Amino acid sequence: MNDHSPSRTGGRAARRAARAAPLADHLRPIRAGMSGGQYTPLSDADVLRIHTAALDALERIGLADAPPSGVAHLTAAGAALGDDGRIRFPRALVEDTIAKANRTLTLHSRDGLHDLDLSGTRVHYGTAGAAVHMVEPDGRSYRESTVQDLHDAARICDRLDNIHFVQRPMVCRDIFDNFEMDMNSVYACTSGTTKHVGVSFTDPAFVAPAIEMLHLIAGGEAAWRERPFVSNSNCFVVPPMKFATESCLVMEACIKHGMPVLLLSAGMSGATAPGSIAGAIVQAVAECLAGLVYVHAVQPGAPAIFGTWPFDLDLRTGSMTGGSGEQALLTAGCAQMHRFYDLPGGAAAGIADSKLPDMQAGWEQMCSNVMAGLSGLNMVYEAAGMHASLLGFCHESLIIGDDLIGQAMRCVRGIEVTDETMALDQMEAVCMGGPGHYLGTAETLGRMEMDNVYPALGDRTSPKEWAERGKPDLIARATERKNEILSERSAARFDPALDAAIRAKFNIHLPA
Amino acid sequence: MNDHSPSRTGGRAARRAARAAPLADHLRPIRAGMSGGQYTPLSDADVLRIHTAALDALERIGLADAPPSGVAHLTAAGAALGDDGRIRFPRALVEDTIAKANRTLTLHSRDGLHDLDLSGTRVHYGTAGAAVHMVEPDGRSYRESTVQDLHDAARICDRLDNIHFVQRPMVCRDIFDNFEMDMNSVYACTSGTTKHVGVSFTDPAFVAPAIEMLHLIAGGEAAWRERPFVSNSNCFVVPPMKFATESCLVMEACIKHGMPVLLLSAGMSGATAPGSIAGAIVQAVAECLAGLVYVHAVQPGAPAIFGTWPFDLDLRTGSMTGGSGEQALLTAGCAQMHRFYDLPGGAAAGIADSKLPDMQAGWEQMCSNVMAGLSGLNMVYEAAGMHASLLGFCHESLIIGDDLIGQAMRCVRGIEVTDETMALDQMEAVCMGGPGHYLGTAETLGRMEMDNVYPALGDRTSPKEWAERGKPDLIARATERKNEILSERSAARFDPALDAAIRAKFNIHLPA
């Protein structure tokens, strides 16, 4: 084969044509739900020791502060209420619950096109959190986050291929009434994206009205119950080893209304959890096992996500650090425990301590995101846009994060070893009488689109080309993309009749 | 324990004192040579298939273009020279060489304090490459790299804890004569750092004079041979499957003079190596096995590093991409092959495609660096400072990279699971009648310094504190640190008599 032969030119034309048409979903190099698990931070023996220690903790220490309804459910299931008010869990009860719990869970999307299958080591990335600031990178400034910011974030996520779900990443600081804030959070997210949404509720009494809105959106209770497209992010514990009384009541209400629950244990290693990584994992596992027993005591088989979210602390200052290597290990270690239990699980990754989308943010977000994916974490929460150790959310960073997560997902996909990919015959043909290189071979062109991930904003030009293009700035390009997305009409918008119906019942702060 | 008790105050004072004094090396949370290997991108079966395919390639395809001396060495060892000029390797010869090769290799430092033990899955990070530009981030500009830049890089590396060796990362573009360039590269690196240095030679005839300089520095041939503190980065192949004739002669000369050789196979996946990750690994492994046979045919037991360095190509443009997920997988897959052979190995990671130390550079550098470390790669080359897909080197990025690599190393260290770290007793004491938190406990304070890595430039302040401090810029802080280091007198400087002796024999371009 000659470099200047027509066949090579033909290859180029074919390559151009291939680039022009988007690939069918099953041919894309990466997609939601690819399987990880090539990385095992814990040995099998370590996993067993952590499991045993968690069972010991539940049996010896137990959890305080369950609400009366929780005490009733848990003691009926076989847990014991001590004189000290703590609920203790016999090993057999916990082991039995693990054995009976769902091995898989589908988190539904509103459109049916973005359902998430939480089984095995399938990996999904998305947003989450409760940031109180928006980061505006052009002015290097922090300001309070609003319901419009939240809606915009949902709209942006809706257009990013590698953001698979939208758990509310920030708080609407411009809505002062808790009820209105919760209702508007549900509205801002669900009207911005058809992907699965996660929200939290401040008060157990807010669940029923939210469900009313969701019934409207779904087209009735039956449709909602068949495909619940919103889950409840529920901080059911106040670590160490105390139930969060109100949140437990929220959880009970969500279970009743068919909403999947994320059992979120967010201990801070060195403050509300042990300062060692292993200790923080033991406590998080113990707490989530208690939550799992609770859920199954309320309703056997209710959908729940094992949400061990231990966070790391900078022990010098007592401030949280979400961007550290220790944080990446906390999350990856938890993911391995989820695999051991074979339960749908989630944890936090992708958090930057950096205040801006700079080099530090890049390495912090990649470190925990790629390790979470490789460890086979089903739900990687807070994966994009999060700065200042969860205090700030940034739309530009979210958009750039889509590239970053795409790369992490390529790593999760891993290395396919087959006779075809090992390419011995091709090597022989190329080296012995062939052109002496692999450029433009059918095999190379064939791999171009199906095997390789290309960044949307990440720049791979040479210094010369880069200079000729005016040295494009990553952040400025992300801002352009943001403005582009937000100026388009969103496909996730509610139809006018539905929107009017919702607005008739709820005080929606976003303009119609 | 009360928050305001004297014992807590005492803890704070102790904590402050602990921060003031540097930790003894064995107590530091991270250090050179920690063991990785928790990440295995290839299954055992895949590893065997790749090994078998590499043996097939050596038997069926072999390598062209060996120099006459190489043909003599290799055929004497049992390889066959075909009518097509290719040297083919019987499986038994390759397997026998693998069995006899060194399982360990010490790369010496000039001061004896930074020796690298390349055995098992011990991980070391350092620089490497042949960048032709310096990146000046403040002006967003690229300019030609000089011998002063190289020397400054070595001096900076000498002061960075997490840069364990200094392979020449850039070319002295201000020295036009190849001989003078090579001699000055050796001088610029070795006079800037006492850590292990790697260099390359343009011509086999340049090895002997360089060795003369190294004998002067070492204090004689015997001292040099006992502790060779410079190794030769040797591109002994021109992929696919051709020996680089001149470089092979350089290699033979280095072996003769007791200089360890990095057998560097730098195929470009999709151009000079198959476009699939598995295929590029097969070819790199085959080429390095051929190199290993060559080394042992020249001198059994000569120190060599298995340098499978396949690079990734952006197939849309035909340009290299070193910052991709595919690159991280190429390197991690190679590391696993090194483990399979139990041979000291190295590959490239930490390369940014980005032109500047921005968010893209951060995620690109972390992705491959942390995956290389977790896969147990002995020598992670090009780990810091590298931009524009290897074309640009940046001092600021190098300094920031020390933080990034420190974090990757913390991940390599992993999770210690012991009764102490699982902290069940502590949990019980804290929860049942204790303070209800772990702040200020002896265990927490004890872990503060020995378990946790704190970034030097990475910023973990809150948005408020960050604003109060004037929103410090990461790059500007790195420039400050660079100026600080370069304004200090370097401990690695040669003493004046030695320096004069070198300058008497060589035209040293750096000012005395």
Side-chain angles (χ1 to χ4, degrees), chain A residues 60 271 276 355 421 428 438, chain B residues 60 271 276 355 421 428 438 461:
Chain A
R60 279 163 45 186
S276 58
K355 264 51 69 189
T421 60
E428 195 163 357
Y438 302 82
Chain B
R60 276 163 46 184
S276 57
K355 264 53 68 187
T421 59
E428 195 163 355
Y438 302 81
T461 57

Side-chain angles (χ1 to χ4, degrees), chain B residues 400-483:
Chain B
I400 297 169
D402 190 53
D403 269 356
L404 187 157
I405 292 169
Q407 177 161 338
M409 287 170 63
R410 181 61 187 86
C411 297
V412 171
R413 172 173 155 181
I415 304 172
E416 287 89 15
V417 181
T418 64
D419 281 341
E420 191 200 335
T421 59
M422 288 195 301
L424 202 55
D425 292 342
Q426 200 195 152
M427 203 180 297
E428 195 163 355
V430 160
C431 293
M432 292 166 66
H437 64 74
Y438 302 81
L439 282 166
T441 65
E443 292 88 349
T444 295
L445 291 174
R447 309 227 139 259
M448 187 179 73
E449 286 292 330
M450 285 170 55
D451 284 7
N452 291 278
V453 173
Y454 302 103
L457 296 180
D459 188 300
R460 292 179 174 176
T461 57
S462 70
K464 182 169 175 291
E465 199 182 348
W466 174 73
E468 285 164 3
R469 291 186 184 188
K471 305 182 181 178
D473 180 78
L474 185 67
I475 313 291
R477 293 186 64 201
T479 301
E480 275 169 39
R481 182 76 187 115
K482 174 180 81 169
N483 294 337

Side-chain angles (χ1 to χ4, degrees), chain A residues 112-190:
Chain A
L113 299 173
H114 296 94
D115 291 1
L116 311 179
D117 169 8
L118 278 55
S119 62
T121 57
R122 291 177 183 277
V123 178
H124 311 87
Y125 290 91
T127 58
V132 292
H133 293 114
M134 281 303 289
V135 187
E136 299 194 321
D138 59 342
R140 299 170 68 85
S141 72
Y142 273 59
R143 62 165 175 79
E144 298 211 331
S145 51
T146 67
V147 64
Q148 185 67 52
D149 294 324
L150 177 60
H151 181 61
D152 289 349
R155 287 192 56 193
I156 292 168
C157 289
D158 198 58
R159 297 295 308 278
L160 301 177
D161 281 347
N162 304 319
I163 305 294
H164 306 132
F165 59 90
V166 185
Q167 189 156 301
R168 178 217 62 186
M170 77 194 94
V171 177
C172 306
R173 296 294 297 280
D174 55 343
I175 305 183
F176 305 101
D177 177 79
N178 282 342
F179 174 73
E180 291 205 358
M181 186 179 71
D182 283 4
M183 297 306 114
N184 275 276
S185 294
V186 173
Y187 180 91
C189 291
T190 52

Side-chain angles (χ1 to χ4, degrees), chain B residues 31-38 119-123 373-374 376 411-414:
Chain B
R31 47 192 172 274
M34 289 182 314
S35 292
Q38 305 91 332
S119 63
T121 57
R122 291 176 182 277
V123 178
L374 291 174
C411 297
V412 171
R413 172 173 155 181

Side-chain angles (χ1 to χ4, degrees), chain B residues 1-38:
Chain B
M1 190 173 164
N2 185 297
D3 272 3
H4 302 282
S5 68
S7 69
R8 186 168 148 83
T9 310
R12 268 202 201 128
R15 190 162 45 165
R16 264 196 227 101
R19 287 294 307 162
L23 281 181
D25 195 58
H26 70 286
L27 295 178
R28 292 183 57 222
I30 47 170
R31 47 192 172 274
M34 289 182 314
S35 292
Q38 305 91 332

